[in-house]
Amino acid sequence: MFADVHCHLDGETYGDIAALIENCLSKGVGRIITVGFDLPSSEQARRYAEEFDCVYFTAGFHPTELKDYCEGDLERIAALCRHEKCVALGEIGLDYHYDDTDRGRQREAFLAQLSLAAELSLPVQIHSRDCAEDMLGILKGNKSLLKGGALMHCYSHSVEIAEELMKLGLYFSFGGASTWKGSKRAKRVIEMLPAERLLTETDSPYMPPASLYGTFPNTPASIPEIAAGIAAVKGMPVGQFEETALKNARTLFAKLG
């Protein structure tokens, strides 16, 4: 059985979610974590998790989605995180890609959500783009807040940063971009990391794998191709990596059935 540990289910994008889930199950993708990026998306993720047995969810505020973040929202996220099928707090983190980024506000929200995850003994799913040094510094300086575990989703930084993050006990997930011909950095990181730290994701509806390059939307049904690509880099049989990645997911996300 395969697991997609990070995707974004959305009826407006996909239409019939039940049909999508059925197709994923037919491909062997038996565990799907749909990820919140603000309060409404986190609430929608909860509803999908309640409707479909194979779907679990996360709740949190993405660093570029803080425009509507206000007093009381953290308590609402905390309530969602106490749900039996909420496996992590996320996605949270830093994103310095845009020129008008309020870095201070991002760091403040990130630390507040890390603190909440520690309080709830939940892992976190971390988004990290164009911020490697700051991200590493914050995580090193707040290691005690990572006691529930942490996933660097769609990892895009260097091998050297990955080595430092691995010392903090982090896991790493890779999606369709890792199968692209030009994804040399991702492949170097995958080659360096122990298989016991690797998980599979799609970040659907974005980043389709090589066979679907240029198409939209991507879906969790792409996980077998992504897993095969990672297994090839690691020099492992696909079945062996599939078992390892699922075990890793269940180790990190204790609520994942």
Side-chain angles (χ1 to χ4, degrees):
M1 181 172 66
F2 296 97
D4 185 346
V5 300
H6 188 108
C7 69
H8 302 278
L9 298 183
D10 178 356
E12 291 186 8
T13 300
Y14 293 113
D16 188 345
I17 295 294
L20 171 68
I21 297 296
E22 184 177 351
N23 183 53
C24 292
L25 291 171
S26 75
K27 305 292 186 183
V29 183
R31 291 292 180 270
I32 297 170
I33 300 175
T34 185
V35 172
F37 52 84
D38 60 10
L39 193 56
S41 64
S42 297
E43 291 170 340
Q44 179 62 74
R46 180 203 66 207
R47 289 192 288 272
Y48 285 137
E50 290 174 343
E51 184 174 356
F52 301 103
D53 288 344
C54 67
V55 175
Y56 295 77
F57 79 103
T58 75
F61 272 85
H62 187 285
T64 65
E65 302 297 326
L66 297 173
K67 174 173 59 72
D68 298 322
Y69 180 71
C70 60
E71 185 176 354
D73 281 349
L74 203 58
E75 288 75 14
R76 296 180 181 94
I77 292 294
L80 287 167
C81 286
R82 294 186 179 96
H83 192 284
E84 62 182 358
K85 294 189 77 177
C86 183
V87 299
L89 201 154
E91 66 186 284
I92 64 176
L94 303 174
D95 190 322
Y96 294 170
H97 184 69
Y98 301 103
D99 292 338
D100 61 350
T101 295
D102 186 338
R103 298 186 178 191
R105 183 168 171 78
Q106 285 195 9
R107 288 192 286 266
E108 180 182 348
F110 184 32
L111 283 167
Q113 292 180 97
L114 285 175
S115 296
L116 176 60
E119 178 185 331
L120 298 175
S121 297
L122 274 180
V124 290
Q125 289 210 11
I126 298 175
H127 172 99
S128 182
R129 182 164 67 157
D130 297 343
C131 62
E133 295 299 331
D134 273 8
M135 176 60 70
L136 181 58
I138 286 174
L139 295 180
K140 277 187 171 182
N142 295 276
K143 187 177 179 180
S144 64
L145 301 182
L146 302 175
K147 62 183 181 180
L151 172 72
M152 293 296 291
H153 113 82
C154 198
Y155 183 77
S156 61
H157 300 313
S158 67
V159 168
E160 292 75 18
I161 293 291
E163 288 174 335
E164 292 300 308
L165 293 171
M166 188 167 59
K167 294 175 185 177
L168 299 175
L170 272 66
Y171 289 78
F172 304 78
S173 60
F174 294 85
S178 67
T179 69
W180 299 349
K181 186 176 181 180
S183 60
K184 295 179 181 179
R185 175 183 286 185
K187 288 181 173 67
R188 286 196 297 268
V189 176
I190 290 168
E191 186 175 21
M192 178 276 294
L193 289 170
E196 291 72 24
R197 296 291 185 92
L198 293 170
L199 294 96
T200 52
E201 68 158 285
T202 61
D203 203 15
S204 300
Y206 314 107
M207 292 195 308
S211 71
L212 298 172
Y213 189 80
T215 66
F216 183 88
N218 187 25
T219 80
S222 297
I223 285 291
E225 181 178 347
I226 293 165
I230 295 174
V233 173
K234 297 301 294 178
M236 298 172 63
V238 177
Q240 181 184 350
F241 177 68
E242 175 187 352
E243 292 177 4
T244 300
L246 183 60
K247 181 180 178 181
N248 296 345
R250 285 173 163 159
T251 299
L252 178 58
F253 305 117
K255 293 183 186 179
L256 192 67

